[in-house]
Amino acid sequence: MARADELAAHSEQPGGLTRVSLSPEYRAASERVMGWMREAGMTARLDAIGNVAGRYEGERAGLPCLMLGSHLDTVRDAGRYDGMLGVICAIECVQALHSAGRRLPFAIEVLGFTDEEGVRFGVTLLGSRALAGTLDPALLEAKDRNGMTMAEALRGFGLDPARIGTAARSRGELLAYAELHIEQGPVLEAEGLPVGVVTAINGYTRMRVSIEGTAGHAGTVPMALRRDALAAAAECVLAVERAAASEPEVVATVGRLEALPGAINVIPGGARFTVDVRAPDDARRLRAAARIEKEISSICARRGVALASERTQEQGVTACSPWLIERLARAVEGEGLRVRRLPSGAGHDGMALQTIADIGMLFVRCANGISHNPAEAIRAADAAAGARVLLRFIEEFRPRELQ
Ligand code: GLV
Ligand code: MN
Ligand code: MN
């Protein structure tokens, strides 16, 4: 808990937590994490995209690894556990092995991924996609809100954009990827359980929508003659809400909405907004996304405003591997706890890593299901329970072919 507090101090704003990738705050947090890794008997380095990578060798050097970890970047005005708890607990587990002088028949790597949240460049999972070798080099030209490209940000951080390919790892190097993360939802709390085993990570569709109407004088244009882009967008937001409610377990969010030019006495001539649609079932998510597009298009046609809409990211459901779900469940039982299996509504680095490794996830209860919010809170006892389950999972881990 003290380490989570310490990392939370590395923020772009005082009195709150925002730490985007490749920033000075991200550098300071990375240095701190690498220090803890070295104390725990690991080698530690920054890879070519800015992930923190720690390694604890097994019985002999160079063995394939069980990869653990989570991310070190945050959303804006974030909580202090989303991401960080998984990195801190994994280091704690290695520290326990190191203190006992134990080496296992495999190496352990702990990753602190950069840019899982996608806050800086508007695209998620950058660190884990680079590690999986699936990061599209075209993204190097993606810009942050100040117009700085990812390539420039990498250079400013002391990294060479031409070398991001060297962050890629191969399937043979990883025995599995297991991530501990706060639940970010209310299920475990409602059931009085400190931990849960994740079955799958819900998929998502993301869209960017832009509406063009006609800007005009707020005092002179009669209501019937207006082409108000923001009023159209407002109807669209409600259509998004309705479309999600029409499919079981689909959720949809307009998280960003902008009116242009944005003045009290000007009818908005433009409106831009984002849509994020998620579900534990790809068919239902795609149906809801299609319905959203259809309704938005008919609202805009009826109101006589122009519409441009594009899907910016599409990610199917990521299943956790049954054998890792079972190994994690056994570790939960081994700690005397009831096993609760549940899907993850939030995205995680495992979505990217699934192309090179089987993945598993362990959730730790959080207070009131609140996350992506400075009020995010967990109990120390739950963090300890999560770390103990993770340690047991590591100690009992055997590669898939030896299950
Ligand atoms: C990441 O936290 C996401 O699910 O958006
Ligand atoms: Mn998050
Ligand atoms: Mn997270």
Side-chain angles (χ1 to χ4, degrees):
M1 298 301 276
R3 285 182 170 181
D5 292 346
E6 201 178 318
L7 288 183
H10 297 295
S11 168
E12 100 186 19
Q13 86 270 36
L17 172 55
T18 301
R19 187 170 57 242
V20 301
S21 63
L22 305 174
S23 61
E25 308 75 54
Y26 183 82
R27 160 78 64 187
S30 302
E31 293 295 341
R32 201 70 197 96
V33 168
M34 287 193 284
W36 295 333
M37 287 172 162
R38 291 181 188 121
E39 278 170 35
M42 284 181 260
T43 55
R45 65 191 173 91
L46 275 173
D47 75 7
I49 188 82
N51 294 320
V52 173
R55 184 172 166 97
Y56 185 71
E57 293 293 351
E59 284 160 356
R60 48 178 213 284
L63 290 170
C65 73
L66 168 61
M67 188 173 278
L68 309 171
S70 191
H71 58 99
L72 292 174
D73 67 307
T74 72
V75 292
R76 297 202 172 276
D77 210 15
R80 59 190 54 190
Y81 305 104
D82 172 4
M84 283 67 77
L85 187 68
V87 181
I88 292 167
C89 284
I91 295 172
E92 201 67 29
C93 290
V94 175
Q95 176 77 63
L97 295 171
H98 179 59
S99 303
R102 284 193 68 186
R103 296 283 168 178
L104 300 172
F106 48 87
I108 298 176
E109 293 204 18
V110 179
L111 267 288
F113 288 106
T114 189
D115 219 334
E116 184 263 5
E117 302 283 9
V119 168
R120 181 154 187 187
F121 301 103
V123 200
T124 59
L125 305 172
L126 296 180
S128 42
R129 279 201 269 168
L131 194 127
T134 55
L135 188 71
D136 180 355
L139 287 175
L140 286 168
E141 296 313 312
K143 291 191 173 129
D144 69 10
R145 55 163 64 178
N146 300 317
M148 184 185 279
T149 64
M150 193 190 301
E152 287 162 349
L154 282 164
R155 272 193 290 272
F157 200 72
L159 297 169
D160 177 359
R163 297 192 68 252
I164 53 167
T166 64
R169 312 290 291 270
S170 67
R171 184 166 265 278
E173 294 174 67
L174 273 73
L175 299 171
Y177 173 70
E179 173 166 347
L180 177 151
H181 200 284
I182 58 166
E183 182 199 343
Q184 304 180 276
V187 175
L188 295 174
E189 186 170 65
E191 297 191 16
L193 294 170
V195 299
V197 179
V198 178
T199 51
I201 305 172
N202 292 356
Y204 55 75
T205 299
R206 288 192 168 156
M207 306 174 196
R208 201 167 21 221
V209 182
S210 172
I211 296 176
E212 297 302 326
T214 307
H217 197 293
T220 62
V221 186
M223 297 310 284
L225 299 182
R226 295 183 179 204
R227 291 170 66 242
D228 183 329
L230 182 62
E235 259 200 65
C236 295
V237 173
L238 297 178
V240 168
E241 198 177 37
R242 265 196 317 276
S246 73
E247 294 279 351
E249 297 181 296
V250 172
V251 290
T253 308
V254 174
R256 192 159 177 195
L257 170 65
E258 204 184 353
L260 301 168
I264 191 167
N265 57 351
V266 182
I267 300 163
R272 319 244 180 282
F273 60 93
T274 56
V275 184
D276 174 311
V277 191
R278 308 200 194 198
D281 176 278
D282 289 336
R284 274 183 265 149
R285 184 189 86 251
L286 292 170
R287 262 201 313 272
R291 177 167 170 178
I292 286 169
E293 285 163 338
K294 191 160 159 262
E295 294 208 6
I296 286 179
S297 145
S298 71
I299 290 165
C300 291
R302 174 165 46 75
R303 287 177 161 266
V305 291
L307 167 71
S309 151
E310 58 165 337
R311 293 195 186 189
T312 50
Q313 262 189 301
E314 194 82 74
Q315 170 80 49
V317 172
T318 303
C320 292
S321 294
W323 70 279
L324 290 168
I325 294 174
E326 280 325 300
R327 301 304 310 195
L328 285 162
R330 240 181 276 177
V332 171
E333 275 167 354
E335 289 299 320
L337 298 166
R338 176 161 79 78
V339 177
R340 172 64 155 100
R341 294 174 174 81
L342 73 171
S344 170
H348 299 288
D349 288 300
M351 293 173 127
L353 296 180
Q354 61 163 335
T355 59
I356 54 162
D358 288 349
I359 67 157
M361 286 195 76
L362 181 70
F363 270 171
V364 171
R365 163 171 59 189
C366 66
N368 306 312
I370 292 175
S371 179
H372 284 187
N373 183 320
E376 195 176 272
I378 60 168
R379 297 186 200 160
D382 291 355
R388 276 199 307 274
V389 170
L390 187 63
L391 180 58
R392 183 179 284 270
F393 164 80
I394 296 167
E395 288 174 333
E396 295 175 357
F397 180 82
R398 294 292 169 267
R400 182 181 192 170
E401 37 304 343
L402 303 182
Q403 293 308 302

